[in-house]
mmCIF file of all heavy atoms in Angstrom:
data_model
loop_
_atom_site.group_PDB
_atom_site.id
_atom_site.type_symbol
_atom_site.label_atom_id
_atom_site.label_comp_id
_atom_site.label_asym_id
_atom_site.label_seq_id
_atom_site.Cartn_x
_atom_site.Cartn_y
_atom_site.Cartn_z
ATOM 1 N N ALA A 1192 5.499 -15.620 4.707
ATOM 2 C CA ALA A 1192 4.343 -16.464 4.380
ATOM 3 C C ALA A 1192 3.307 -15.638 3.643
ATOM 4 O O ALA A 1192 2.920 -14.561 4.077
ATOM 5 C CB ALA A 1192 3.731 -17.026 5.655
ATOM 6 N N ALA A 1193 2.861 -16.165 2.519
ATOM 7 C CA ALA A 1193 1.821 -15.478 1.746
ATOM 8 C C ALA A 1193 0.489 -15.683 2.451
ATOM 9 O O ALA A 1193 0.069 -16.807 2.682
ATOM 10 C CB ALA A 1193 1.786 -16.044 0.333
ATOM 11 N N THR A 1194 -0.171 -14.589 2.782
ATOM 12 C CA THR A 1194 -1.493 -14.682 3.420
ATOM 13 C C THR A 1194 -2.490 -13.832 2.619
ATOM 14 O O THR A 1194 -3.261 -14.353 1.841
ATOM 15 C CB THR A 1194 -1.406 -14.179 4.876
ATOM 16 O OG1 THR A 1194 -0.727 -12.910 4.900
ATOM 17 C CG2 THR A 1194 -0.634 -15.164 5.743
ATOM 18 N N LYS A 1195 -2.364 -12.477 2.755
ATOM 19 C CA LYS A 1195 -3.336 -11.612 2.062
ATOM 20 C C LYS A 1195 -3.151 -11.687 0.549
ATOM 21 O O LYS A 1195 -4.104 -11.526 -0.218
ATOM 22 C CB LYS A 1195 -3.238 -10.178 2.564
ATOM 23 C CG LYS A 1195 -1.902 -9.490 2.354
ATOM 24 C CD LYS A 1195 -1.951 -8.058 2.851
ATOM 25 C CE LYS A 1195 -0.624 -7.326 2.610
ATOM 26 N NZ LYS A 1195 -0.708 -5.889 2.904
ATOM 27 N N THR A 1196 -1.938 -11.992 0.096
ATOM 28 C CA THR A 1196 -1.755 -12.086 -1.360
ATOM 29 C C THR A 1196 -2.446 -13.349 -1.887
ATOM 30 O O THR A 1196 -2.989 -13.334 -2.997
ATOM 31 C CB THR A 1196 -0.258 -12.121 -1.742
ATOM 32 O OG1 THR A 1196 0.386 -13.166 -1.022
ATOM 33 C CG2 THR A 1196 0.406 -10.778 -1.456
ATOM 34 N N TYR A 1197 -2.483 -14.414 -1.086
ATOM 35 C CA TYR A 1197 -3.180 -15.634 -1.515
ATOM 36 C C TYR A 1197 -4.680 -15.375 -1.644
ATOM 37 O O TYR A 1197 -5.277 -15.640 -2.696
ATOM 38 C CB TYR A 1197 -2.947 -16.776 -0.518
ATOM 39 C CG TYR A 1197 -3.844 -17.979 -0.747
ATOM 40 C CD1 TYR A 1197 -3.612 -18.867 -1.791
ATOM 41 C CD2 TYR A 1197 -4.942 -18.217 0.091
ATOM 42 C CE1 TYR A 1197 -4.443 -19.969 -2.009
ATOM 43 C CE2 TYR A 1197 -5.772 -19.309 -0.119
ATOM 44 C CZ TYR A 1197 -5.529 -20.178 -1.155
ATOM 45 O OH TYR A 1197 -6.357 -21.270 -1.379
ATOM 46 N N LEU A 1198 -5.284 -14.839 -0.601
ATOM 47 C CA LEU A 1198 -6.739 -14.668 -0.671
ATOM 48 C C LEU A 1198 -7.135 -13.652 -1.746
ATOM 49 O O LEU A 1198 -8.169 -13.802 -2.402
ATOM 50 C CB LEU A 1198 -7.300 -14.258 0.687
ATOM 51 C CG LEU A 1198 -7.603 -15.407 1.671
ATOM 52 C CD1 LEU A 1198 -8.385 -14.874 2.876
ATOM 53 C CD2 LEU A 1198 -8.378 -16.555 1.019
ATOM 54 N N THR A 1199 -6.302 -12.631 -1.964
ATOM 55 C CA THR A 1199 -6.647 -11.675 -3.038
ATOM 56 C C THR A 1199 -6.448 -12.322 -4.407
ATOM 57 O O THR A 1199 -7.206 -12.045 -5.343
ATOM 58 C CB THR A 1199 -5.803 -10.391 -2.937
ATOM 59 O OG1 THR A 1199 -4.415 -10.729 -2.896
ATOM 60 C CG2 THR A 1199 -6.179 -9.575 -1.712
ATOM 61 N N GLN A 1200 -5.458 -13.210 -4.541
ATOM 62 C CA GLN A 1200 -5.317 -13.976 -5.792
ATOM 63 C C GLN A 1200 -6.577 -14.832 -6.026
ATOM 64 O O GLN A 1200 -7.141 -14.853 -7.129
ATOM 65 C CB GLN A 1200 -4.095 -14.897 -5.720
ATOM 66 C CG GLN A 1200 -2.753 -14.203 -5.842
ATOM 67 C CD GLN A 1200 -1.583 -15.147 -5.533
ATOM 68 O OE1 GLN A 1200 -1.759 -16.208 -4.919
ATOM 69 N NE2 GLN A 1200 -0.400 -14.762 -5.940
ATOM 70 N N VAL A 1201 -7.018 -15.505 -4.972
ATOM 71 C CA VAL A 1201 -8.204 -16.373 -5.100
ATOM 72 C C VAL A 1201 -9.405 -15.549 -5.542
ATOM 73 O O VAL A 1201 -10.135 -15.918 -6.463
ATOM 74 C CB VAL A 1201 -8.483 -17.087 -3.761
ATOM 75 C CG1 VAL A 1201 -9.885 -17.702 -3.725
ATOM 76 C CG2 VAL A 1201 -7.432 -18.162 -3.499
ATOM 77 N N LEU A 1202 -9.578 -14.369 -4.939
ATOM 78 C CA LEU A 1202 -10.735 -13.528 -5.281
ATOM 79 C C LEU A 1202 -10.668 -13.080 -6.742
ATOM 80 O O LEU A 1202 -11.646 -13.163 -7.486
ATOM 81 C CB LEU A 1202 -10.764 -12.310 -4.354
ATOM 82 C CG LEU A 1202 -11.919 -11.340 -4.521
ATOM 83 C CD1 LEU A 1202 -13.266 -12.035 -4.365
ATOM 84 C CD2 LEU A 1202 -11.800 -10.201 -3.495
ATOM 85 N N LEU A 1203 -9.498 -12.658 -7.175
ATOM 86 C CA LEU A 1203 -9.332 -12.176 -8.558
ATOM 87 C C LEU A 1203 -9.546 -13.325 -9.545
ATOM 88 O O LEU A 1203 -10.194 -13.168 -10.584
ATOM 89 C CB LEU A 1203 -7.950 -11.548 -8.709
ATOM 90 C CG LEU A 1203 -7.574 -10.925 -10.041
ATOM 91 C CD1 LEU A 1203 -8.646 -9.967 -10.537
ATOM 92 C CD2 LEU A 1203 -6.227 -10.205 -9.924
ATOM 93 N N LEU A 1204 -9.046 -14.508 -9.222
ATOM 94 C CA LEU A 1204 -9.178 -15.666 -10.115
ATOM 95 C C LEU A 1204 -10.628 -16.163 -10.144
ATOM 96 O O LEU A 1204 -11.139 -16.590 -11.186
ATOM 97 C CB LEU A 1204 -8.219 -16.768 -9.667
ATOM 98 C CG LEU A 1204 -6.729 -16.429 -9.839
ATOM 99 C CD1 LEU A 1204 -5.845 -17.478 -9.151
ATOM 100 C CD2 LEU A 1204 -6.360 -16.294 -11.316
ATOM 101 N N GLU A 1205 -11.326 -16.066 -9.019
ATOM 102 C CA GLU A 1205 -12.760 -16.433 -9.026
ATOM 103 C C GLU A 1205 -13.552 -15.457 -9.903
ATOM 104 O O GLU A 1205 -14.423 -15.857 -10.670
ATOM 105 C CB GLU A 1205 -13.299 -16.418 -7.599
ATOM 106 C CG GLU A 1205 -12.827 -17.590 -6.750
ATOM 107 C CD GLU A 1205 -13.499 -17.626 -5.371
ATOM 108 O OE1 GLU A 1205 -14.187 -16.661 -5.016
ATOM 109 O OE2 GLU A 1205 -13.335 -18.641 -4.659
ATOM 110 N N LEU A 1206 -13.184 -14.168 -9.822
ATOM 111 C CA LEU A 1206 -13.851 -13.158 -10.670
ATOM 112 C C LEU A 1206 -13.630 -13.492 -12.138
ATOM 113 O O LEU A 1206 -14.550 -13.451 -12.961
ATOM 114 C CB LEU A 1206 -13.290 -11.778 -10.326
ATOM 115 C CG LEU A 1206 -13.896 -10.574 -11.035
ATOM 116 C CD1 LEU A 1206 -15.355 -10.382 -10.616
ATOM 117 C CD2 LEU A 1206 -13.095 -9.304 -10.735
ATOM 118 N N LEU A 1207 -12.407 -13.878 -12.466
ATOM 119 C CA LEU A 1207 -12.049 -14.261 -13.843
ATOM 120 C C LEU A 1207 -12.906 -15.443 -14.295
ATOM 121 O O LEU A 1207 -13.478 -15.445 -15.396
ATOM 122 C CB LEU A 1207 -10.562 -14.616 -13.888
ATOM 123 C CG LEU A 1207 -9.964 -15.105 -15.197
ATOM 124 C CD1 LEU A 1207 -10.181 -14.090 -16.311
ATOM 125 C CD2 LEU A 1207 -8.467 -15.387 -15.018
ATOM 126 N N ALA A 1208 -13.078 -16.432 -13.422
ATOM 127 C CA ALA A 1208 -13.869 -17.632 -13.773
ATOM 128 C C ALA A 1208 -15.341 -17.266 -13.936
ATOM 129 O O ALA A 1208 -16.034 -17.785 -14.823
ATOM 130 C CB ALA A 1208 -13.695 -18.694 -12.691
ATOM 131 N N VAL A 1209 -15.827 -16.329 -13.116
ATOM 132 C CA VAL A 1209 -17.240 -15.909 -13.228
ATOM 133 C C VAL A 1209 -17.497 -15.282 -14.597
ATOM 134 O O VAL A 1209 -18.463 -15.605 -15.299
ATOM 135 C CB VAL A 1209 -17.592 -14.916 -12.098
ATOM 136 C CG1 VAL A 1209 -18.881 -14.156 -12.402
ATOM 137 C CG2 VAL A 1209 -17.713 -15.646 -10.764
ATOM 138 N N PHE A 1210 -16.589 -14.404 -15.028
ATOM 139 C CA PHE A 1210 -16.758 -13.784 -16.353
ATOM 140 C C PHE A 1210 -16.626 -14.828 -17.465
ATOM 141 O O PHE A 1210 -17.340 -14.810 -18.458
ATOM 142 C CB PHE A 1210 -15.745 -12.659 -16.545
ATOM 143 C CG PHE A 1210 -16.026 -11.437 -15.709
ATOM 144 C CD1 PHE A 1210 -14.990 -10.651 -15.223
ATOM 145 C CD2 PHE A 1210 -17.327 -11.069 -15.383
ATOM 146 C CE1 PHE A 1210 -15.242 -9.520 -14.445
ATOM 147 C CE2 PHE A 1210 -17.594 -9.944 -14.606
ATOM 148 C CZ PHE A 1210 -16.552 -9.169 -14.147
ATOM 149 N N ALA A 1211 -15.700 -15.800 -17.275
ATOM 150 C CA ALA A 1211 -15.526 -16.856 -18.291
ATOM 151 C C ALA A 1211 -16.812 -17.671 -18.403
ATOM 152 O O ALA A 1211 -17.233 -18.046 -19.500
ATOM 153 C CB ALA A 1211 -14.347 -17.751 -17.931
ATOM 154 N N GLY A 1212 -17.451 -17.915 -17.254
ATOM 155 C CA GLY A 1212 -18.689 -18.696 -17.269
ATOM 156 C C GLY A 1212 -19.770 -18.008 -18.080
ATOM 157 O O GLY A 1212 -20.452 -18.619 -18.898
ATOM 158 N N GLU A 1213 -19.905 -16.699 -17.904
ATOM 159 C CA GLU A 1213 -20.916 -15.969 -18.675
ATOM 160 C C GLU A 1213 -20.568 -15.992 -20.161
ATOM 161 O O GLU A 1213 -21.415 -16.265 -21.012
ATOM 162 C CB GLU A 1213 -21.018 -14.521 -18.188
ATOM 163 C CG GLU A 1213 -22.075 -13.722 -18.937
ATOM 164 C CD GLU A 1213 -22.048 -12.235 -18.595
ATOM 165 O OE1 GLU A 1213 -21.517 -11.861 -17.526
ATOM 166 O OE2 GLU A 1213 -22.538 -11.444 -19.417
ATOM 167 N N MET A 1214 -19.287 -15.777 -20.474
ATOM 168 C CA MET A 1214 -18.881 -15.741 -21.893
ATOM 169 C C MET A 1214 -19.000 -17.107 -22.548
ATOM 170 O O MET A 1214 -19.141 -17.217 -23.758
ATOM 171 C CB MET A 1214 -17.451 -15.225 -21.991
ATOM 172 C CG MET A 1214 -17.315 -13.752 -21.660
ATOM 173 S SD MET A 1214 -15.585 -13.261 -21.793
ATOM 174 C CE MET A 1214 -15.704 -11.593 -21.146
ATOM 175 N N SER A 1215 -18.957 -18.161 -21.709
ATOM 176 C CA SER A 1215 -19.093 -19.512 -22.294
ATOM 177 C C SER A 1215 -20.546 -19.775 -22.690
ATOM 178 O O SER A 1215 -20.848 -20.768 -23.341
ATOM 179 C CB SER A 1215 -18.653 -20.565 -21.259
ATOM 180 O OG SER A 1215 -19.653 -20.672 -20.233
ATOM 181 N N GLY A 1216 -21.462 -18.908 -22.227
ATOM 182 C CA GLY A 1216 -22.870 -19.089 -22.559
ATOM 183 C C GLY A 1216 -23.611 -19.973 -21.579
ATOM 184 O O GLY A 1216 -24.805 -20.245 -21.737
ATOM 185 N N ARG A 1217 -22.926 -20.401 -20.529
ATOM 186 C CA ARG A 1217 -23.580 -21.306 -19.562
ATOM 187 C C ARG A 1217 -24.557 -20.541 -18.677
ATOM 188 O O ARG A 1217 -25.407 -21.133 -18.027
ATOM 189 C CB ARG A 1217 -22.526 -22.021 -18.713
ATOM 190 C CG ARG A 1217 -21.774 -23.070 -19.535
ATOM 191 C CD ARG A 1217 -20.496 -23.444 -18.823
ATOM 192 N NE ARG A 1217 -20.754 -24.287 -17.670
ATOM 193 C CZ ARG A 1217 -20.644 -25.617 -17.682
ATOM 194 N NH1 ARG A 1217 -20.347 -26.224 -18.824
ATOM 195 N NH2 ARG A 1217 -20.836 -26.314 -16.610
ATOM 196 N N TYR A 1218 -24.416 -19.222 -18.584
ATOM 197 C CA TYR A 1218 -25.405 -18.415 -17.872
ATOM 198 C C TYR A 1218 -25.336 -16.988 -18.407
ATOM 199 O O TYR A 1218 -24.438 -16.620 -19.158
ATOM 200 C CB TYR A 1218 -25.202 -18.457 -16.347
ATOM 201 C CG TYR A 1218 -23.800 -18.212 -15.852
ATOM 202 C CD1 TYR A 1218 -23.259 -16.935 -15.786
ATOM 203 C CD2 TYR A 1218 -22.994 -19.282 -15.454
ATOM 204 C CE1 TYR A 1218 -21.978 -16.714 -15.327
ATOM 205 C CE2 TYR A 1218 -21.703 -19.077 -14.984
ATOM 206 C CZ TYR A 1218 -21.207 -17.788 -14.914
ATOM 207 O OH TYR A 1218 -19.933 -17.587 -14.460
ATOM 208 N N ASP A 1219 -26.333 -16.180 -17.989
ATOM 209 C CA ASP A 1219 -26.406 -14.822 -18.547
ATOM 210 C C ASP A 1219 -25.912 -13.785 -17.525
ATOM 211 O O ASP A 1219 -25.497 -14.126 -16.419
ATOM 212 C CB ASP A 1219 -27.843 -14.530 -18.979
ATOM 213 C CG ASP A 1219 -28.800 -14.563 -17.785
ATOM 214 O OD1 ASP A 1219 -28.301 -14.497 -16.620
ATOM 215 O OD2 ASP A 1219 -30.017 -14.672 -17.991
ATOM 216 N N SER A 1220 -26.017 -12.528 -17.923
ATOM 217 C CA SER A 1220 -25.442 -11.455 -17.081
ATOM 218 C C SER A 1220 -26.170 -11.331 -15.738
ATOM 219 O O SER A 1220 -25.573 -10.887 -14.758
ATOM 220 C CB SER A 1220 -25.525 -10.125 -17.823
ATOM 221 O OG SER A 1220 -26.881 -9.871 -18.157
ATOM 222 N N SER A 1221 -27.420 -11.778 -15.673
ATOM 223 C CA SER A 1221 -28.113 -11.665 -14.367
ATOM 224 C C SER A 1221 -27.489 -12.639 -13.358
ATOM 225 O O SER A 1221 -27.324 -12.325 -12.187
ATOM 226 C CB SER A 1221 -29.605 -11.968 -14.520
ATOM 227 O OG SER A 1221 -29.762 -13.313 -14.969
ATOM 228 N N THR A 1222 -27.073 -13.808 -13.844
ATOM 229 C CA THR A 1222 -26.389 -14.760 -12.952
ATOM 230 C C THR A 1222 -25.019 -14.225 -12.572
ATOM 231 O O THR A 1222 -24.588 -14.341 -11.429
ATOM 232 C CB THR A 1222 -26.259 -16.133 -13.645
ATOM 233 O OG1 THR A 1222 -27.561 -16.614 -13.974
ATOM 234 C CG2 THR A 1222 -25.545 -17.133 -12.742
ATOM 235 N N THR A 1223 -24.339 -13.585 -13.543
ATOM 236 C CA THR A 1223 -23.043 -12.963 -13.240
ATOM 237 C C THR A 1223 -23.199 -11.935 -12.125
ATOM 238 O O THR A 1223 -22.418 -11.908 -11.181
ATOM 239 C CB THR A 1223 -22.472 -12.293 -14.500
ATOM 240 O OG1 THR A 1223 -22.230 -13.300 -15.480
ATOM 241 C CG2 THR A 1223 -21.158 -11.568 -14.187
ATOM 242 N N ARG A 1224 -24.253 -11.120 -12.225
ATOM 243 C CA ARG A 1224 -24.460 -10.110 -11.182
ATOM 244 C C ARG A 1224 -24.681 -10.768 -9.821
ATOM 245 O O ARG A 1224 -24.197 -10.302 -8.796
ATOM 246 C CB ARG A 1224 -25.650 -9.210 -11.556
ATOM 247 C CG ARG A 1224 -25.292 -8.105 -12.559
ATOM 248 C CD ARG A 1224 -26.382 -7.036 -12.656
ATOM 249 N NE ARG A 1224 -27.647 -7.606 -13.138
ATOM 250 C CZ ARG A 1224 -27.908 -7.771 -14.449
ATOM 251 N NH1 ARG A 1224 -26.983 -7.479 -15.363
ATOM 252 N NH2 ARG A 1224 -29.077 -8.260 -14.851
ATOM 253 N N ARG A 1225 -25.352 -11.941 -9.849
ATOM 254 C CA ARG A 1225 -25.568 -12.648 -8.580
ATOM 255 C C ARG A 1225 -24.234 -13.155 -8.025
ATOM 256 O O ARG A 1225 -23.950 -13.031 -6.828
ATOM 257 C CB ARG A 1225 -26.543 -13.811 -8.807
ATOM 258 C CG ARG A 1225 -26.997 -14.492 -7.540
ATOM 259 C CD ARG A 1225 -28.225 -15.345 -7.769
ATOM 260 N NE ARG A 1225 -28.005 -16.336 -8.847
ATOM 261 C CZ ARG A 1225 -27.346 -17.483 -8.667
ATOM 262 N NH1 ARG A 1225 -26.823 -17.755 -7.468
ATOM 263 N NH2 ARG A 1225 -27.196 -18.363 -9.641
ATOM 264 N N TYR A 1226 -23.384 -13.658 -8.905
ATOM 265 C CA TYR A 1226 -22.065 -14.121 -8.457
ATOM 266 C C TYR A 1226 -21.232 -12.936 -7.943
ATOM 267 O O TYR A 1226 -20.520 -13.060 -6.945
ATOM 268 C CB TYR A 1226 -21.320 -14.804 -9.608
ATOM 269 C CG TYR A 1226 -21.763 -16.228 -9.904
ATOM 270 C CD1 TYR A 1226 -21.929 -16.674 -11.206
ATOM 271 C CD2 TYR A 1226 -22.027 -17.135 -8.873
ATOM 272 C CE1 TYR A 1226 -22.335 -17.977 -11.493
ATOM 273 C CE2 TYR A 1226 -22.437 -18.433 -9.142
ATOM 274 C CZ TYR A 1226 -22.588 -18.853 -10.457
ATOM 275 O OH TYR A 1226 -22.997 -20.134 -10.723
ATOM 276 N N LEU A 1227 -21.328 -11.792 -8.617
ATOM 277 C CA LEU A 1227 -20.562 -10.622 -8.159
ATOM 278 C C LEU A 1227 -21.050 -10.177 -6.786
ATOM 279 O O LEU A 1227 -20.259 -9.773 -5.926
ATOM 280 C CB LEU A 1227 -20.685 -9.477 -9.171
ATOM 281 C CG LEU A 1227 -20.073 -9.725 -10.545
ATOM 282 C CD1 LEU A 1227 -20.220 -8.474 -11.416
ATOM 283 C CD2 LEU A 1227 -18.611 -10.132 -10.437
ATOM 284 N N ASP A 1228 -22.340 -10.312 -6.563
ATOM 285 C CA ASP A 1228 -22.884 -9.970 -5.237
ATOM 286 C C ASP A 1228 -22.328 -10.921 -4.181
ATOM 287 O O ASP A 1228 -21.960 -10.508 -3.075
ATOM 288 C CB ASP A 1228 -24.407 -10.051 -5.277
ATOM 289 C CG ASP A 1228 -25.010 -9.644 -3.942
ATOM 290 O OD1 ASP A 1228 -24.631 -8.546 -3.466
ATOM 291 O OD2 ASP A 1228 -25.750 -10.439 -3.332
ATOM 292 N N VAL A 1229 -22.187 -12.198 -4.571
ATOM 293 C CA VAL A 1229 -21.587 -13.169 -3.644
ATOM 294 C C VAL A 1229 -20.144 -12.765 -3.353
ATOM 295 O O VAL A 1229 -19.717 -12.672 -2.201
ATOM 296 C CB VAL A 1229 -21.634 -14.589 -4.262
ATOM 297 C CG1 VAL A 1229 -20.695 -15.536 -3.517
ATOM 298 C CG2 VAL A 1229 -23.048 -15.157 -4.239
ATOM 299 N N LEU A 1230 -19.377 -12.465 -4.396
ATOM 300 C CA LEU A 1230 -17.952 -12.117 -4.203
ATOM 301 C C LEU A 1230 -17.803 -10.853 -3.352
ATOM 302 O O LEU A 1230 -16.814 -10.697 -2.636
ATOM 303 C CB LEU A 1230 -17.265 -11.938 -5.553
ATOM 304 C CG LEU A 1230 -17.081 -13.210 -6.384
ATOM 305 C CD1 LEU A 1230 -16.378 -12.877 -7.711
ATOM 306 C CD2 LEU A 1230 -16.301 -14.275 -5.624
ATOM 307 N N SER A 1231 -18.787 -9.973 -3.396
ATOM 308 C CA SER A 1231 -18.679 -8.737 -2.596
ATOM 309 C C SER A 1231 -18.733 -9.050 -1.100
ATOM 310 O O SER A 1231 -18.389 -8.207 -0.275
ATOM 311 C CB SER A 1231 -19.817 -7.774 -2.955
ATOM 312 O OG SER A 1231 -21.059 -8.301 -2.490
ATOM 313 N N LYS A 1232 -19.123 -10.284 -0.754
ATOM 314 C CA LYS A 1232 -19.155 -10.678 0.667
ATOM 315 C C LYS A 1232 -17.819 -11.282 1.127
ATOM 316 O O LYS A 1232 -17.651 -11.635 2.286
ATOM 317 C CB LYS A 1232 -20.269 -11.701 0.908
ATOM 318 C CG LYS A 1232 -21.669 -11.181 0.620
ATOM 319 C CD LYS A 1232 -22.685 -12.293 0.732
ATOM 320 C CE LYS A 1232 -24.051 -11.894 0.169
ATOM 321 N NZ LYS A 1232 -24.936 -13.076 -0.013
ATOM 322 N N ALA A 1233 -16.855 -11.415 0.199
ATOM 323 C CA ALA A 1233 -15.571 -12.030 0.576
ATOM 324 C C ALA A 1233 -14.887 -11.262 1.704
ATOM 325 O O ALA A 1233 -14.421 -11.881 2.672
ATOM 326 C CB ALA A 1233 -14.672 -12.149 -0.654
ATOM 327 N N PRO A 1234 -14.825 -9.914 1.642
ATOM 328 C CA PRO A 1234 -14.136 -9.201 2.732
ATOM 329 C C PRO A 1234 -14.766 -9.448 4.107
ATOM 330 O O PRO A 1234 -14.055 -9.735 5.076
ATOM 331 C CB PRO A 1234 -14.244 -7.732 2.318
ATOM 332 C CG PRO A 1234 -14.386 -7.763 0.830
ATOM 333 C CD PRO A 1234 -15.204 -8.986 0.542
ATOM 334 N N ILE A 1235 -16.090 -9.392 4.181
ATOM 335 C CA ILE A 1235 -16.734 -9.557 5.502
ATOM 336 C C ILE A 1235 -16.646 -11.015 5.970
ATOM 337 O O ILE A 1235 -16.493 -11.298 7.148
ATOM 338 C CB ILE A 1235 -18.203 -9.063 5.482
ATOM 339 C CG1 ILE A 1235 -18.776 -9.009 6.905
ATOM 340 C CG2 ILE A 1235 -19.067 -9.935 4.564
ATOM 341 C CD1 ILE A 1235 -18.115 -8.057 7.859
ATOM 342 N N THR A 1236 -16.654 -11.953 5.005
ATOM 343 C CA THR A 1236 -16.511 -13.366 5.376
ATOM 344 C C THR A 1236 -15.129 -13.612 5.973
ATOM 345 O O THR A 1236 -14.977 -14.262 7.014
ATOM 346 C CB THR A 1236 -16.719 -14.267 4.142
ATOM 347 O OG1 THR A 1236 -18.003 -14.000 3.569
ATOM 348 C CG2 THR A 1236 -16.623 -15.744 4.517
ATOM 349 N N ALA A 1237 -14.119 -13.032 5.337
ATOM 350 C CA ALA A 1237 -12.751 -13.181 5.856
ATOM 351 C C ALA A 1237 -12.629 -12.480 7.205
ATOM 352 O O ALA A 1237 -12.010 -13.002 8.141
ATOM 353 C CB ALA A 1237 -11.747 -12.598 4.865
ATOM 354 N N LYS A 1238 -13.262 -11.319 7.321
ATOM 355 C CA LYS A 1238 -13.194 -10.559 8.587
ATOM 356 C C LYS A 1238 -13.786 -11.375 9.737
ATOM 357 O O LYS A 1238 -13.187 -11.513 10.794
ATOM 358 C CB LYS A 1238 -13.946 -9.234 8.432
ATOM 359 C CG LYS A 1238 -13.871 -8.287 9.624
ATOM 360 C CD LYS A 1238 -14.498 -6.922 9.239
ATOM 361 C CE LYS A 1238 -14.272 -5.889 10.336
ATOM 362 N NZ LYS A 1238 -14.944 -6.245 11.622
ATOM 363 N N ASP A 1239 -14.943 -11.969 9.485
ATOM 364 C CA ASP A 1239 -15.575 -12.805 10.516
ATOM 365 C C ASP A 1239 -14.709 -14.027 10.831
ATOM 366 O O ASP A 1239 -14.536 -14.405 11.990
ATOM 367 C CB ASP A 1239 -16.960 -13.275 10.044
ATOM 368 C CG ASP A 1239 -17.955 -12.116 9.950
ATOM 369 O OD1 ASP A 1239 -17.631 -11.030 10.474
ATOM 370 O OD2 ASP A 1239 -19.016 -12.278 9.318
ATOM 371 N N SER A 1240 -14.108 -14.607 9.799
ATOM 372 C CA SER A 1240 -13.278 -15.805 10.015
ATOM 373 C C SER A 1240 -12.076 -15.468 10.875
ATOM 374 O O SER A 1240 -11.686 -16.232 11.759
ATOM 375 C CB SER A 1240 -12.817 -16.365 8.663
ATOM 376 O OG SER A 1240 -12.054 -17.538 8.854
ATOM 377 N N ILE A 1241 -11.507 -14.292 10.633
ATOM 378 C CA ILE A 1241 -10.314 -13.873 11.385
ATOM 379 C C ILE A 1241 -10.692 -13.582 12.842
ATOM 380 O O ILE A 1241 -10.054 -14.058 13.772
ATOM 381 C CB ILE A 1241 -9.690 -12.639 10.723
ATOM 382 C CG1 ILE A 1241 -9.094 -13.002 9.361
ATOM 383 C CG2 ILE A 1241 -8.623 -12.012 11.622
ATOM 384 C CD1 ILE A 1241 -8.893 -11.806 8.450
ATOM 385 N N GLU A 1242 -11.762 -12.842 13.023
ATOM 386 C CA GLU A 1242 -12.124 -12.416 14.381
ATOM 387 C C GLU A 1242 -12.572 -13.598 15.242
ATOM 388 O O GLU A 1242 -12.223 -13.707 16.410
ATOM 389 C CB GLU A 1242 -13.196 -11.323 14.312
ATOM 390 C CG GLU A 1242 -12.607 -10.013 13.784
ATOM 391 C CD GLU A 1242 -13.646 -8.927 13.578
ATOM 392 O OE1 GLU A 1242 -14.854 -9.214 13.740
ATOM 393 O OE2 GLU A 1242 -13.264 -7.788 13.238
ATOM 394 N N VAL A 1243 -13.313 -14.535 14.620
ATOM 395 C CA VAL A 1243 -13.764 -15.719 15.382
ATOM 396 C C VAL A 1243 -12.621 -16.714 15.525
ATOM 397 O O VAL A 1243 -12.390 -17.294 16.577
ATOM 398 C CB VAL A 1243 -14.973 -16.385 14.672
ATOM 399 C CG1 VAL A 1243 -15.302 -17.732 15.312
ATOM 400 C CG2 VAL A 1243 -16.171 -15.447 14.673
ATOM 401 N N GLY A 1244 -11.842 -16.873 14.446
ATOM 402 C CA GLY A 1244 -10.815 -17.924 14.412
ATOM 403 C C GLY A 1244 -9.586 -17.615 15.234
ATOM 404 O O GLY A 1244 -8.916 -18.530 15.731
#
Side-chain angles (χ1 to χ4, degrees):
T1194 49
K1195 61 178 182 172
T1196 54
Y1197 169 75
L1198 275 190
T1199 53
Q1200 286 171 342
V1201 165
L1202 182 57
L1203 183 50
L1204 293 170
E1205 287 186 351
L1206 183 66
L1207 177 57
V1209 163
F1210 289 147
E1213 181 188 339
M1214 290 179 187
S1215 73
R1217 288 163 74 98
Y1218 49 78
D1219 63 16
S1220 57
S1221 62
T1222 301
T1223 297
R1224 279 194 298 276
R1225 188 164 55 80
Y1226 282 138
L1227 295 183
D1228 183 52
V1229 164
L1230 291 180
S1231 69
K1232 298 174 192 166
I1235 190 63
T1236 303
K1238 185 172 188 296
D1239 292 347
S1240 182
I1241 292 160
E1242 289 175 354
V1243 171

